[in-house]
Amino acid sequence: MEGKLRNMTSVYITKADKMLLLFRQGGRVVNDVWTGSAGGHFEECELNDARACVLREMEEELGLKESDVKNLAMRYITLRRTKGEVRQNYYFFAELSDEADAHPVSNEGIARWFSYSELSALEMPYTAKFVIAHYLKEGCMTDEIYGGVADGETVVFTKLPEF
């Protein structure tokens, strides 16, 4: 391992009992699977600011601004070693505001709303599938931030308390 890192962020936008996902097409790393509503790689100036990255990606990919969502919060950070690099993903969740367009169009693929009950059947990137399952079971009922490490069979989550 040469110390290569890949830092990425995703935002999952919800409205009532639905979640907006993106069928990403033409991506460099993630392609032809359902991903967060928007997301991508950090720009150099964002390396210490995951929120700035997710807001930029949300505007670039969906045309949504920070004012179009409420309760935007980083809820998960995952680590996975694959293809000679460590992938660190920062997962944000937010609610679409009542004033925002409920049918955003993405330039990265097909954006579509799914009921929570449909999510487990979708093909997603490895850590994203575990994040969504954990969020629906436990994470949506708290304000905790969770760290998750992929071990090849699952992602093991733990709360990340501030101390």
Side-chain angles (χ1 to χ4, degrees):
M1 168 98 190
E2 296 180 21
K4 291 272 192 180
L5 303 174
R6 185 177 300 271
N7 293 290
M8 298 173 284
T9 188
S10 293
V11 62
Y12 289 86
I13 300 172
T14 63
K15 187 166 185 76
D17 64 344
K18 295 188 185 281
M19 188 176 288
L20 182 66
L21 296 182
L22 176 67
F23 188 75
R24 189 166 294 274
Q25 299 171 309
R28 292 179 295 172
V29 176
V30 177
N31 198 30
D32 294 334
V33 292
W34 291 98
T35 66
S37 311
H41 295 86
F42 282 61
E43 299 290 333
E44 190 173 322
C45 64
E46 298 165 337
L47 287 179
N48 292 316
D49 193 347
R51 184 182 183 92
C53 180
V54 84
L55 287 171
R56 176 185 52 78
E57 293 285 358
M58 194 172 69
E59 187 166 357
E60 285 178 4
E61 295 180 10
L62 294 171
L64 295 175
K65 298 186 182 315
E66 186 172 8
S67 60
D68 292 320
V69 297
K70 54 189 178 184
N71 302 321
L72 176 67
M74 182 173 57
R75 300 296 311 285
Y76 293 86
I77 304 164
T78 62
L79 292 172
R80 177 183 181 201
R81 195 172 124 197
T82 186
K83 299 180 181 174
E85 62 190 15
V86 174
R87 293 185 181 177
Q88 190 163 298
N89 289 277
Y90 298 84
Y91 292 94
F92 286 76
F93 287 79
E95 300 165 53
L96 190 68
S97 70
D98 294 334
E99 299 78 33
D101 180 3
H103 302 286
V105 175
S106 176
N107 61 2
E108 297 279 334
I110 301 163
R112 182 176 156 212
W113 291 99
F114 289 93
S115 68
Y116 290 164
S117 63
E118 296 175 283
L119 298 176
S120 65
L122 300 175
E123 186 162 342
M124 296 181 189
Y126 185 83
T127 59
K129 192 148 188 89
F130 289 99
V131 165
I132 294 301
H134 187 275
Y135 177 79
L136 293 175
K137 181 180 176 189
E138 184 175 339
C140 65
M141 296 179 278
T142 75
D143 290 330
E144 300 286 346
I145 297 175
Y146 295 91
V149 177
D151 68 6
E153 294 180 26
T154 190
V155 176
V156 179
F157 292 102
T158 188
K159 291 179 187 176
L160 291 178
E162 187 167 345
F163 59 91

